[in-house]
Amino acid sequence: MFLAMRSEVEAALADALAALDAPTDDLGIERPPEDVDAVLATSVAFRLAGEVGAPPPQVAADIADALDPDDLEYIADVRTQGPYVNFFPSDAYFGETVARAGEADYGRLPDRDTSVVVEHTSANPTGPVHVGRARNPIIADALVRVLDFAGYDVETHYYVNDAGRQIAVFTWAYETFDESELPEPERDKPDYDLVRYYRKGNAYLEEADEETVETAEAEIAAIMQGLEAGDDEAYERVSEVVDQVLAGMTETLDRLPAHFDEFVKETRFMRDGSADDVIARLKELDEAVYEEDAWQLDLPDFDDNLVFLRSDGTSLYTTRDLAHHEWKFANFDRAITVIGEDHQLTFAQLRSALELLGHETDQLDQVFYSWVNLPGGEGMSTREGTGIDLDDLLDEAVDRAREEVETRMDDRIRDDDLDDEDVERIARQVGIGAVRYDIVSKQPRKAITFEWERALDFEAQSAPYVQYVHARTCGILDEARADGLEPAAEADPTHLETAEERDLLRTIARFPAAVEAAADELEPHRMATYTREFAERFNAFYRECPVLTAEEEATREARLALVVAARHTVGNALELLGVEAPESM
């Protein structure tokens, strides 16, 4: 509804400006100040004041005079406040908002007929997922959900580094050492099982004598050469290690949850000849030079050259990633990569190299993020050589949430309403939801420190705070049905008269626009900001506007329909963040 109303305002404002012989290229439409009871405003008077030689308030008044609310379906009034022109919603706007938000898919935008591939996480398959990398799948999964809801055809890919030196070391170590030489695994999962070989191999290479290391390095180099040559045996040896570790990592990521449509392996582009094709074309470029026993690109905008082929004939990660991106361009309209900020230079060089190869890169986007820090790793063990794994964080989140839920339950709820299975479900929903919400709610480029007290605060602006709103809407509707009341398909908005009701209505109506903005800007944290505002609006409504005990039947029906709309809105908003919406808490 908000999008339809905005389109109506845009068209009417453009006509008004044209009637005043003013340019219509920038309408200056924005949200009004918090103390203005409007839905949209325009600051275009600031821009036009210098052109027409009049103060902004006078220009705003002229624009308002050229607008006729009687011609607008969703605008009841147009008023100025200083240099701003404010648009106030009509009853039709509110009524259609409640009706549309009464549908389960409220907020979903029309199909954009655009395919998007989002590559994310892509951590090297050398061991369990570390908590420092947890921001990647959490941000990316929320972004994927937002893009899908905004009408894009989205696929998620995990790009698997199965061709680098560290994987060759891992494979060699797995084949060299016996399990009896290794410590017990920290968890009964394949990634924790196999990482012991990886650590053993690296320690061995650091500590063994020179002759022994030379022999080992020759075996490692042979694995890399075999992969480069497309040797099936080398590929199968490496895959035995990589696939087991990936299975364990995937099990952890499923807990978030963060799912993938495809695991795209680097070796794919070595085995199908596309990496060799990229190398051949790179060599033909004027920017290609052979220096320091390697083929490199001399990129004018960078201090360092981009090495794309070693002297022994082996390619590099970036070389294979060029072939990978060419494959993306051939199969998708847009390509988005979510990756740590330490890769900014690499991606800038990658983009430059793709352009030299003749590609337009407007369809290529990156979302860079900074790291997640934990203050001292409190409550979790820090194991030598591993740091804190994501599994540790999620286990701790559920344990802390369970303790918080049990503390908050009174004896009546414990005995009558929630059994142990319910408590465990809520602990998982709240605990993992708290981790996701706290991480995705921050702008990706800002470094953050994860703090338990903030993330699990039921009273502050956190996941439990918003989840509780959804549970509250479910409780109201369950109680209504127990009393024989069914929400009406439509509600008369004239019976929603209080400031709290209208504030909640306006916030509900703005949900599709929030989805659109989060998708267009690739900023899923906007959805978290929206849910915090929504929770505040709903809680104010809940405090001031009794639903089931409203004196007038028409008011009760209208408020009940508003609760249904609120339930769908906050439930969908939480779903976009990847946070479960409990029906009871």
Side-chain angles (χ1 to χ4, degrees):
M1 208 61 259
F2 181 89
L3 299 178
M5 186 265 285
R6 188 179 64 190
S7 296
E8 185 179 68
V9 169
E10 289 172 347
L13 185 56
D15 289 344
L17 293 177
L20 296 171
D21 293 325
T24 61
D25 55 320
D26 181 6
L27 301 178
I29 293 176
E30 59 188 61
R31 290 182 63 188
E34 290 294 328
D35 59 345
V36 177
D37 194 31
V39 174
L40 285 175
T42 177
S43 59
V44 70
F46 279 113
R47 177 173 61 83
L48 297 179
E51 299 180 25
V52 302
Q58 180 58 53
V59 176
D62 292 341
I63 294 171
D65 289 341
L67 291 162
D68 186 358
D70 292 339
D71 296 334
L72 304 175
E73 181 180 3
Y74 301 125
I75 300 300
D77 196 11
V78 178
R79 298 198 296 268
T80 63
Q81 184 180 51
Y84 292 94
V85 181
N86 298 311
F87 299 86
F88 295 81
S90 67
D91 286 336
Y93 169 79
F94 285 129
E96 291 191 30
T97 291
V98 174
R100 181 66 185 91
E103 301 172 9
D105 68 342
Y106 176 61
R108 181 172 287 278
L109 303 183
D111 186 1
R112 302 197 189 201
D113 193 28
T114 302
S115 62
V116 180
V117 58
V118 178
E119 176 200 333
H120 70 87
T121 306
S122 301
N124 290 343
T126 54
V129 182
H130 189 274
V131 73
R133 297 283 179 179
R135 204 171 188 182
N136 192 317
I138 290 174
I139 291 173
D141 183 70
L143 177 61
V144 167
R145 292 165 184 263
V146 167
L147 289 170
D148 173 75
F149 212 65
Y152 291 97
D153 180 14
V154 188
E155 280 195 23
T156 54
H157 288 183
Y158 188 120
Y159 187 47
V160 183
N161 177 358
D162 65 335
R165 170 181 159 77
Q166 288 306 311
I167 296 300
V169 170
F170 201 165
T171 303
W172 162 80
Y174 182 67
E175 297 172 346
T176 299
F177 299 105
D178 188 85
E179 186 172 6
S180 62
E181 303 175 68
L182 308 174
E184 288 295 312
E186 293 154 358
R187 287 177 186 259
D188 185 20
K189 286 177 73 230
D191 46 343
Y192 289 85
D193 181 18
L194 267 72
V195 74
R196 299 175 299 159
Y197 294 94
Y198 180 66
R199 293 178 188 147
K200 176 71 173 180
N202 279 290
Y204 182 86
L205 292 174
E206 290 179 2
E207 298 166 1
D209 61 77
E210 185 175 345
E211 183 178 350
T212 302
V213 169
E214 285 182 1
T215 301
E217 289 290 357
E219 295 174 9
I220 293 166
I223 295 172
M224 295 178 66
Q225 292 283 0
L227 292 175
E228 203 74 39
D231 179 67
D232 288 341
E233 182 184 358
Y235 175 74
E236 290 170 3
R237 291 166 64 193
V238 167
S239 295
E240 184 179 359
V241 174
V242 168
D243 292 348
Q244 290 186 74
V245 176
L246 273 179
M249 296 172 74
T250 301
E251 185 180 331
T252 299
L253 294 169
D254 283 346
R255 298 179 66 188
L256 287 173
H259 304 304
F260 298 90
D261 295 307
E262 187 172 353
F263 288 83
V264 181
K265 292 185 175 181
E266 271 190 272
T267 49
R268 170 180 185 160
F269 306 103
M270 302 165 72
R271 292 165 63 81
D272 68 6
S274 55
D276 288 339
D277 180 65
V278 165
I279 291 169
R281 285 182 285 132
L282 289 174
K283 286 182 176 180
E284 294 175 358
L285 296 174
D286 293 339
E287 292 81 3
V289 295
Y290 188 82
E291 296 178 354
E292 299 178 0
D293 294 328
W295 278 97
Q296 309 178 35
L297 281 184
D298 184 5
L299 302 174
D301 296 331
F302 300 92
D303 293 333
D304 298 323
N305 288 353
L306 177 65
V307 178
F308 63 88
L309 188 67
R310 300 184 184 92
S311 58
D312 62 2
T314 55
S315 58
L316 286 87
Y317 179 91
T318 304
T319 322
R320 302 183 286 273
D321 205 18
L322 286 168
H324 176 210
H325 276 78
E326 289 192 325
W327 174 77
K328 289 182 183 180
F329 291 168
N331 290 279
F332 299 92
D333 298 319
R334 292 182 64 188
I336 300 168
T337 305
V338 180
I339 196 161
E341 61 184 2
D342 54 326
H343 291 276
Q344 289 183 72
L345 174 60
T346 300
F347 264 86
Q349 290 180 319
L350 177 78
R351 182 184 294 271
S352 182
L354 286 167
E355 290 170 351
L356 289 175
L357 288 170
H359 295 284
E360 296 289 338
T361 57
D362 291 343
Q363 75 270 43
L364 179 61
D365 290 292
Q366 289 89 39
V367 176
F368 294 107
Y369 64 90
S370 186
W371 307 119
V372 175
N373 301 307
L374 289 170
E378 53 192 348
M380 292 174 286
S381 62
T382 302
R383 305 179 180 93
E384 183 178 355
T386 68
I388 299 171
D389 297 317
L390 180 56
D391 282 311
D392 296 326
L393 180 68
L394 297 181
D395 286 349
E396 184 72 10
V398 174
D399 289 344
R400 286 179 180 249
R402 184 187 304 107
E403 181 179 346
E404 180 68 22
V405 170
E406 290 176 341
T407 299
R408 295 175 66 86
M409 291 194 313
D410 58 29
D411 292 337
R412 180 187 61 80
I413 292 177
R414 186 187 328 244
D415 293 341
D416 301 336
D417 294 340
L418 297 181
D419 57 23
D420 290 342
E421 185 176 332
D422 290 325
V423 172
E424 198 60 33
R425 169 185 56 81
I426 294 170
R428 178 183 55 78
Q429 291 175 323
V430 171
I432 294 179
V435 171
R436 283 194 65 126
Y437 190 94
D438 194 70
I439 289 176
V440 80
S441 66
K442 311 300 190 304
Q443 293 185 26
R445 296 254 186 169
K446 291 184 177 180
I448 61 173
T449 298
F450 182 85
E451 297 176 354
W452 291 110
E453 289 74 16
R454 180 190 65 232
L456 288 168
D457 191 339
F458 278 64
E459 310 301 329
Q461 294 182 338
S462 61
Y465 178 72
V466 180
Q467 288 173 310
Y468 199 78
V469 167
H470 183 268
R472 180 165 277 167
T473 64
C474 294
I476 293 172
L477 296 175
D478 287 345
E479 188 176 346
R481 293 189 180 96
D483 292 342
L485 300 174
E486 284 294 331
E490 296 182 6
D492 185 350
T494 61
H495 295 290
L496 301 172
E497 301 176 322
T498 69
E500 291 78 15
E501 290 166 320
R502 294 287 164 137
D503 283 346
L504 180 57
L505 263 173
R506 274 188 288 272
T507 306
I508 290 172
R510 195 166 51 78
F511 178 53
V515 173
E516 180 186 63
D520 289 350
E521 302 300 324
L522 304 181
E523 293 180 343
H525 70 271
R526 288 173 178 253
M527 294 311 309
T529 302
Y530 174 84
T531 61
R532 289 195 292 264
E533 179 183 338
F534 183 94
E536 291 173 358
R537 296 285 186 267
F538 183 85
N539 287 334
F541 161 78
Y542 181 79
R543 288 192 302 269
E544 303 298 329
C545 305
V547 178
L548 303 181
T549 59
E551 294 183 3
E552 300 292 333
E553 182 180 353
T555 301
R556 183 171 62 246
E557 290 180 350
R559 288 178 178 172
L560 198 56
L562 184 58
V563 172
V564 173
R567 176 184 180 179
H568 289 152
T569 303
V570 71
N572 289 343
L574 285 170
E575 173 68 21
L576 296 185
L577 293 168
V579 175
E580 290 195 54
E583 295 187 3
S584 61
M585 284 180 68

